[in-house]
Amino acid sequence: MSEHVSRFSMLANMSDDMSSEDRRELLRKVTATIGQTASPGDRAEFAQLDEMLVALAADYAVRARAELAKAVATSPLLVRTANQFALDDIEVAGPILRHFRALTDSTLLQVVAKNSQPHMMAVTRRQQISKTVSHALVEAGDDNVVVSLLSNGNAQIAHETFEMVTTRAQGSAALHAPLIRREDVPPEMLNNIYLEVEAGLRQEIVSKFNSISREEVDKAFQRSRTRVAKRNSPLPDDYDAAKNRINDLSRLGFLTPPGLATLL
């Protein structure tokens, strides 16, 4: 622990009088120390380092901050520094956004608000992504960002966000496969894009429907019908008759993507 104290104190005393070589050597030592597993007794020293880095890091060159960020990304005790680095240039922010688990949604939403696609791409590769952050990424991110988000099985995606992606996928073939292959994609979303995708992906949709219970399929189509009805209000005069016809088709097992395609 005394070694930690010595190196961290030296960091606080870094000055412009130090040579570039001395600065690099000091940063190398600090980075190596940060990368070590901290014991409970080290928490006070790491808290001190966290304060130092928040105060001093802005004075370091991007290259130096980037080296520090690689170590900070694996140290759960340097929370303030990590939150500051997350909003830095992508060379600095990248490791933090991908690997620092304790970043708050508030910080991640600030990152998305910067409207930097490389920063958003880094966020999509986190081990955990909340529904709130996923929604912000879909709103602000380009297709590459959305594809990366959909490909992250640990990302939580709300029903409303899936609706947004599905609407967008109707005009973007790049989103078809990752959307269809999400394990948690709502069935009605698959139905909505069935006619937009190529034959191989249609077969994947059919396979997914075959693995879903009839009760769940019926619920999915009811949600789809309700959404369409709300979007097109007021309802047409023949709505009730059409609804009864759909219910009849559902009971006959006709409401599958191939069956619906024959009605066009």
Side-chain angles (χ1 to χ4, degrees):
M1 184 170 69
S2 60
E3 183 179 27
H4 290 182
V5 173
S6 173
R7 291 178 185 175
F8 294 172
S9 297
M10 288 174 62
L11 180 64
N13 295 325
M14 182 183 288
S15 69
D16 294 334
D17 296 332
M18 297 180 68
S19 68
S20 297
E21 183 177 348
D22 287 342
R23 281 173 173 263
R24 285 195 296 270
E25 178 61 18
L26 177 55
L27 287 174
R28 186 194 65 77
K29 291 179 179 179
V30 171
T31 300
T33 302
I34 294 173
Q36 298 172 5
T37 301
S39 66
D42 292 332
R43 289 185 177 274
E45 283 70 37
F46 272 85
Q48 179 187 29
L49 174 62
D50 204 12
E51 292 182 6
M52 291 180 191
L53 289 176
V54 168
L56 300 174
D59 295 330
Y60 302 159
V62 171
R63 183 175 178 180
R65 297 200 305 276
E67 287 301 314
L68 281 170
K70 293 176 184 177
V72 171
T74 62
S75 177
L77 298 180
L78 300 177
V79 176
R80 293 180 62 197
T81 304
N83 278 277
Q84 180 170 302
F85 280 177
L87 297 168
D88 207 322
D89 294 341
I90 188 58
E91 295 88 347
V92 181
I96 302 295
L97 295 175
R98 290 190 294 270
H99 304 300
F100 193 82
R101 297 187 180 186
L103 288 180
T104 64
D105 275 6
S106 176
T107 296
L108 293 173
L109 291 173
Q110 289 181 58
V111 171
V112 174
K114 287 169 62 75
N115 206 31
S116 161
Q117 300 301 318
H119 282 74
M120 284 187 265
M121 182 65 77
V123 173
T124 67
R125 294 170 179 164
R126 292 180 60 77
Q127 276 198 329
Q128 293 183 333
I129 306 174
S130 72
K131 292 180 180 179
T132 300
V133 173
S134 290
H135 192 83
L137 288 167
V138 172
E139 284 188 316
D142 61 20
D143 280 357
N144 291 327
V145 167
V146 177
V147 167
S148 183
L149 176 69
L150 292 171
S151 301
N152 183 344
N154 292 322
Q156 298 179 6
I157 302 179
H159 193 281
E160 179 185 0
T161 307
F162 271 121
E163 288 183 345
M164 190 187 308
V165 175
T166 302
T167 299
R168 186 164 163 177
Q170 292 174 357
S172 175
L175 302 180
H176 291 173
L179 175 60
I180 291 168
R181 291 168 183 165
R182 279 287 302 194
E183 291 187 5
D184 54 347
V185 59
E188 64 268 31
M189 306 302 168
L190 298 177
N191 180 64
N192 290 346
I193 64 167
Y194 180 80
L195 295 176
E196 305 289 338
V197 306
E198 54 92 13
L201 292 175
R202 289 185 184 182
Q203 187 56 50
E204 290 188 36
I205 292 176
V206 171
S207 297
K208 279 204 167 190
F209 271 97
N210 289 338
S211 66
I212 300 173
S213 70
R214 170 55 56 186
E215 180 182 5
E216 182 56 34
V217 170
D218 289 343
K219 289 180 180 178
F221 281 116
Q222 181 59 50
R223 290 193 296 269
S224 183
R225 292 194 297 269
T226 300
R227 185 175 66 255
V228 170
K230 288 181 178 179
R231 188 171 62 230
N232 295 299
S233 294
L235 298 176
D237 294 336
D238 61 349
Y239 173 75
D240 289 335
K243 181 178 178 181
N244 291 334
R245 175 59 175 159
I246 294 234
N247 288 336
D248 290 341
L249 291 173
S250 177
R251 284 192 294 271
L252 293 171
F254 196 71
L255 291 185
T256 62
L260 291 171
T262 64
L263 296 176
L264 299 177

